[in-house]
Amino acid sequence: MLPNKKEVLYLDAAASALKPQSVIDAQLDFLQNHYANSGRGVCERADYADRMVATARLAVAKFISAGPEQIIFTSGATDGLNRIANMLPPKSVVAVSDLDHHSARLPMQEKHKTVLCELDKDFDYKSVPECDAAVITAMSNVLGVPQKIIKDKKRITIIDAAQLVAHEKINVAEMAPDALVFSGHKIGADTGLGILYLKEPDRWQTDKFGGGQFKATGPSRFEAGTLPLTQLAGLPAALAESIEHRAQSIDKINYLRGELEKIDRIKFISPAGAALLTFIVDGMHAYDFGAMMGAHGVCLRVGNMCASWLHQRLGLDSTIRISAGPWNTVEEMDQVAQIIKKVIK
């Protein structure tokens, strides 16, 4: 499925997924044989680029059960969340939570007044205070479990689906958000590409202006300048691969957890059955553990996962996170378990 991985065990899918060969091939074909800008020409290549963008937009719409007119391309989930913060009415009251990734909460804190959602003992949403808009984290990048989506037509609901998108089907008709974001690179597309879904695009005033926007309608009203065309060339292939392999990574993580449960010094932070494995090692700092695992050729994540508020609630400054993708095998899980035993013995 993937190009040469050498002798590295890549277990950091939650940060960024490796790229399937189908994505690499699609991007290479565009660069070598079809490259041109979109929305700016009448030649054969320009027409190809226009059709490629339309195909990618339709593929995303189908992927999340939306309409293509509701799909806006951004540079990533962070960009999408910042743009929503910019497009909300000035001095809005925005509900955030301690589950949030920095990219979901910090833009709101910079632009608006924020209030905290109440979480229950399992870190699920218990209540949302009075507000104009609420940011809902669909899956924490520390806990790895789907969160309950609280629906309320009285406020604007913004869903950060950056982690959920790799593991579960997203249906915006059922989730009923006013806005939803995720990044392409989490599901095997290239970096520099994000998706911003707006339920009612005409309700929002764009925050960016420039090329392609004069009297623009539909998604192009929000897409000033040149789109990330090479990334868009590979997006439909990434979406198809993601659908095919969506459930496989959780099975491998659960298998590895079973092996690590035999090690007394490991204390789990993520619950059983989660989409990723977050833990600490008694008597060893997360960064020391990460450095030693890296020396054995294992790529994983250590630190606060850009989720400082949840770590503060847990009373921890850093954790260790292992996340798998379709390229990983059960044999690799056994290999990683053995390396961990060596590192912490």
Side-chain angles (χ1 to χ4, degrees), residues 2-3 14 28 41 44 82 93 115 155 167 226 237 284 296 323 325 332:
L2 292 162
L28 188 60
E44 181 180 348
N82 273 271
V93 177
V115 291
R155 60 170 175 261
H167 303 289
T226 297
M284 179 177 282
H296 284 82
S323 50
E332 286 181 333

Side-chain angles (χ1 to χ4, degrees), residues 312-333:
Q312 289 171 8
R313 286 186 67 138
L314 293 166
L316 301 169
D317 62 355
S318 58
T319 53
I320 301 154
R321 187 183 71 193
I322 292 176
S323 50
W327 56 86
N328 296 120
T329 64
V330 173
E331 290 74 20
E332 286 181 333
M333 299 301 107

Side-chain angles (χ1 to χ4, degrees), residues 25 33 46 76 87 100 129-130 143 172 214 277 294 304 316 318 333:
D25 290 344
N33 303 312
M87 292 190 293
D100 292 340
E130 287 293 321
L143 302 177
V172 292
F214 187 68
L277 193 57
N304 66 17
L316 301 169
S318 58
M333 299 301 107

Side-chain angles (χ1 to χ4, degrees), residues 189-239:
D190 208 346
T191 52
L193 172 63
I195 308 302
L196 168 58
Y197 159 84
L198 293 179
K199 182 179 180 180
E200 300 176 85
D202 292 341
R203 176 182 178 182
W204 299 79
Q205 293 294 322
T206 186
D207 64 322
K208 290 187 176 181
F209 304 91
Q213 282 191 302
F214 187 68
K215 295 184 178 180
T217 59
S220 60
R221 191 162 64 89
F222 300 90
E223 295 173 345
T226 297
L227 288 168
L229 296 168
T230 306
Q231 294 91 324
L232 286 170
L235 181 57
L239 295 172

Side-chain angles (χ1 to χ4, degrees), residues 22-36:
S22 58
V23 171
I24 296 170
D25 290 344
Q27 294 191 188
L28 188 60
D29 178 60
F30 174 66
L31 288 170
Q32 289 182 327
N33 303 312
H34 305 288
Y35 186 82

Side-chain angles (χ1 to χ4, degrees), residues 157-180:
T157 302
I158 304 151
I159 295 180
D160 174 5
Q163 286 298 322
L164 185 70
V165 67
H167 303 289
E168 291 203 0
K169 163 72 175 173
I170 290 178
N171 186 325
V172 292
E174 294 179 357
M175 299 169 80
D178 295 286
L180 179 144

